[in-house]
Amino acid sequence: NLGLFSSYRFRGIDQTFNKPALQGGIDYSHSSGIYVGNWNSNVNSGAGFPEGNLEMDFYGGWKTTFGDFGLDLGGIYYYYPGTGANPAAFDVKNAELYIGGSWGPLAAKYYYAVTDFFGAPDSDGSWYVNLAATHDFGNGFGVNASIGYQGLKGGAAVTEIGGNVTDSITDYKLGGT
């Protein structure tokens, strides 16, 4: 898959300073439910990725369905080549485990950081939860919505618009297809 987007946001945090993002990846899924993949995007080094301008995500897991119910178990590793090359900069990377469930048009997913969250000291154990819903009107038209909450631990923090530093952030999306 490949796409050009007006901006890239990760859990509500702008990764490209409102500049375009070229994103793409490749996925493989087996009939057993096992899947692996890689997804990539440009990022802006000023958005917290010193010396880095590329995000590479590697993921894998297992998905299955039981009637209208779905289950997804897996892990994801976020890698930013070039970060940490300068001795004054930190190495940005993150590994998370996740569990997700769905029922018809509703879905929920929980992520748990098993490493320091994007290089912030003592931040393993940070977590994210996302609730989502979709509705298909037919003929290719539909709506989707989601809300997520990122809880940060240890040295991890987010600077919000206006300069407020916080250890949590809420993101949301309302869209149409």
Side-chain angles (χ1 to χ4, degrees), residues 94-97 111-117 123-128:
N94 185 43
E96 294 176 329
L97 298 177
Y111 296 80
Y112 182 83
V114 294
T115 64
D116 281 341
F117 191 75
S123 59
D124 58 312
S126 294
W127 56 276
Y128 178 74

Side-chain angles (χ1 to χ4, degrees), residues 43-125:
V43 294
N44 188 303
S45 63
F49 311 105
E51 309 297 322
N53 60 8
L54 176 65
E55 174 182 330
M56 301 175 74
D57 301 348
F58 301 94
Y59 49 88
W62 175 75
K63 279 185 184 181
T64 192
T65 57
F66 310 94
D68 289 342
F69 295 92
L71 178 65
D72 183 6
L73 302 168
I76 185 166
Y77 180 73
Y78 305 89
Y79 175 61
Y80 298 83
T83 62
N86 178 340
F90 57 92
D91 196 11
V92 181
K93 56 188 170 200
N94 185 43
E96 294 176 329
L97 298 177
Y98 57 81
I99 182 169
S102 62
W103 177 56
L106 305 175
K109 204 166 207 179
Y110 175 80
Y111 296 80
Y112 182 83
V114 294
T115 64
D116 281 341
F117 191 75
F118 292 94
D122 303 317
S123 59
D124 58 312

